Amino acid sequence: MAQRSIERGRRQVPLPNWLAGRLGVGRAVLHTPDDPAEDRALIARSLAFLFLAGATLSVVWLMLPHEQRTEDPGVIAMTAGAYAVGLLLFFGFDHLPQWVLKGSVTAATVVITGAIFSNHENGSVYVFFYLWATVYAFSYFTLRQALLQTAFVGVAFGAVLFIQRDVWQEEWARWLMVIGSTMAAGLLVRFLTGTLRHRSLHDPLTGLANRTLYLKKLDEALAVTDEDERPPSVAVLFLDLDGFKYVNDSLGHHVGDGLLTAVGDRLRATARPDDLTARFGGDEFALLCRDVDDEADALSIGQRINEALTEGFQVGDHELHISASVGVSISGTGGCDSGTLLRDADAAMYAAKARGRARCELFGDSLRQKMVERLEIENELRPALERDQFEIHYQPIVTLEDRHIVGVEALVRWRHPVRGLISPGDFIPIAEDTGLIVPIGRMVLYRACVQLAAWDASGGPLAGISLSVNLSARQLPHGELLANLDTALARARIAPDRLTLELTESILMDEESGPAETLAALRRRGVRLSLDDFGTGYSSLSYLQRFALDELKLDRSFVSGLGHGGSEDAITGAVLALAGALGVPVVAEGIEHEHQAQTLRRLGAQHGQGYLFARPALPDELERSLGGQPEMRLLAS
Ligand code: C2E
Ligand code: MG
Ligand code: MG
């Protein structure tokens, strides 16, 4: 089915492939110009070339030893005019208003017709003017106007040929040929214009509308008001396929393209006949629905799409399953423009992704509120860094055997003057987006190292423990990281092997950021590396070996399901056994209950971290909670 669709996509350009490629239309060119003006300019340039070539030919013709032709100042003026207009078109097309261009065509046609009627003998220049005018008219006038113009001049020719048949005699056949070939050229240019315009407004792979056409139609739909001048009710549905990248990466772009085409077909079939289906690029699609009753109506369209996609896709030999996260925004509350609608649908789509994918979310009040909050956090983050509003809490990591503290994980918090303590989950992703994670991460690393040195110096219960610090993807490609690390370790006088940097799977998977090089440099310094949140991502143990990691942190999601006699125990047991076989020690995160700690210990985990032992706390609170057994480093329970 998908293969057929691809074929159909190819057939949208009714030209053989070799010609389409040469002309720059159709599948041979995969990029799509965003602006139809590009096509206009392209055609105008070819016309200008045509016109200049025509004028050159007419000069040659004028110079031939014909009766008095070279001496005719009118003809010379015309030829010079032809050059001037050609150059004007060539260089000035982008800047000249449409009416000047159309006006010049009309003027040229009138001049030629007048000249023919006055039976001017030196017809060549006029023929070329005519050639230009006609081809031009076919490109930029409506088909009716262009045909009318051709007919108009054709009738003039006919009349002259008839009245002056003695003078024209052998010439008439040549003139008729000129008229015929000019019309053919005009029609060809018109066809190419249509193809180019179609290409500039459609996605070459799926044949769906592209973003430019979608925006145009959305603007048009929003401009229409009903008899009571009420604003239109338009819904924008924005779709992003879940996990499409994996299809592309694992099965190749050819299969990826086939899947996109099949999804495009499915969407078109699911949408109502009046809806516009578009592909914005990559795995992003959009639907434009007019006459939507209310939010529930819009949501039901989104849900219908989700349902339609649950049925698998046959792409070549592969049976593929894919879902989409759909974001919906609707107009109707007034003051809605296309940009806002799209932005809101985009935000709703991200919310759908965050809430587990394969679902549809509406951009409503709560999402709007969240976006406002996000924007506030974004704006306040930098000043917060300057005003030193961040603090670092430390959560102990203990041995499951006898609950000794072997280390702490540094966890950053934002002490907001109004909102109180903000947890990292609420600002780290924003800091990552804005790049502020780099200075924040630098600060955390430095302060945590200094704190570790202070515990060492105090000779208290926490002297000699190890320190774990989280690292974001954004910090990794930064050359600064290594320098910061060296500075922090040197200033705090800490041996590198007492520091563990926690990385998530997504960092390791991101080949582009080149983690391997930085990780190798970190390892050379003797710093330990840990795989954080194992079980939330791909859960591939291969990273442990590939990057020679020193530790695995089993995510809370693994731990929370333990001890109910379900399959979780078996899966966790298998992961722990594999890690054990690879010689990589495991820290189990988020242990809240005694039975979890017992089970994990039985299954072979060495270390644990969680509320059962201690919550993250400021250094002095942590020291206080250890008050009872300083030497043993045991937590007071
Ligand atoms: P993480 O690295 O997986 O840290 C463990 C998270 O689990 C912490 O959340 C911790 O408070 C929480 N936790 C520990 N024990 C339990 C438990 O028994 N039950 C439950 N429900 N939760 C427990 P926190 O502090 O909110 O941090 C969230 C995430 O923010 C961290 O996950 C880490 O990925 C990120 N993060 C924190 N500090 C930093 C930092 O300095 N830099 C970077 N890049 N990320 C950080
Ligand atoms: Mg961590
Ligand atoms: Mg974790």
Side-chain angles (χ1 to χ4, degrees), residues 149-222:
Q149 181 193 297
T150 314
F152 174 52
V153 187
V155 167
F157 273 132
V160 172
L161 285 174
F162 184 74
I163 299 163
Q164 311 270 326
R165 39 192 186 282
D166 295 342
V167 183
W168 292 96
Q169 284 192 9
E170 312 95 41
E171 296 255 319
W172 69 269
R174 191 167 57 84
W175 284 89
L176 279 182
M177 256 173 59
V178 168
I179 296 170
S181 50
T182 306
M183 264 193 84
L187 285 168
L188 179 68
V189 168
R190 193 174 173 81
F191 162 75
L192 287 180
T193 319
T195 314
L196 283 170
R197 191 151 295 157
H198 184 273
R199 193 196 67 172
S200 75
L201 295 175
H202 291 80
D203 166 44
L205 181 68
T206 58
L208 298 175
N210 66 9
R211 182 189 278 272
T212 312
L213 182 58
Y214 186 93
L215 280 176
K216 194 166 157 257
K217 294 284 176 195
L218 180 57
D219 282 332
E220 281 170 19
L222 288 173

Side-chain angles (χ1 to χ4, degrees), residues 364-409:
D365 289 341
S366 71
L367 209 56
R368 188 170 286 120
Q369 178 62 27
K370 265 205 189 132
M371 272 185 65
V372 170
E373 272 173 25
R374 195 197 140 97
L375 208 67
E376 277 171 13
I377 289 187
E378 209 175 298
N379 290 336
E380 291 177 36
L381 212 48
R382 190 178 294 277
L385 194 65
E386 282 154 15
R387 288 176 203 148
D388 199 16
Q389 288 173 354
F390 294 101
E391 52 189 51
I392 304 171
H393 291 208
Y394 297 87
Q395 186 177 34
I397 297 171
V398 306
T399 56
L400 287 176
E401 170 113 38
D402 55 12
R403 318 267 160 113
H404 271 72
I405 300 180
V406 288
V408 285
E409 176 173 3

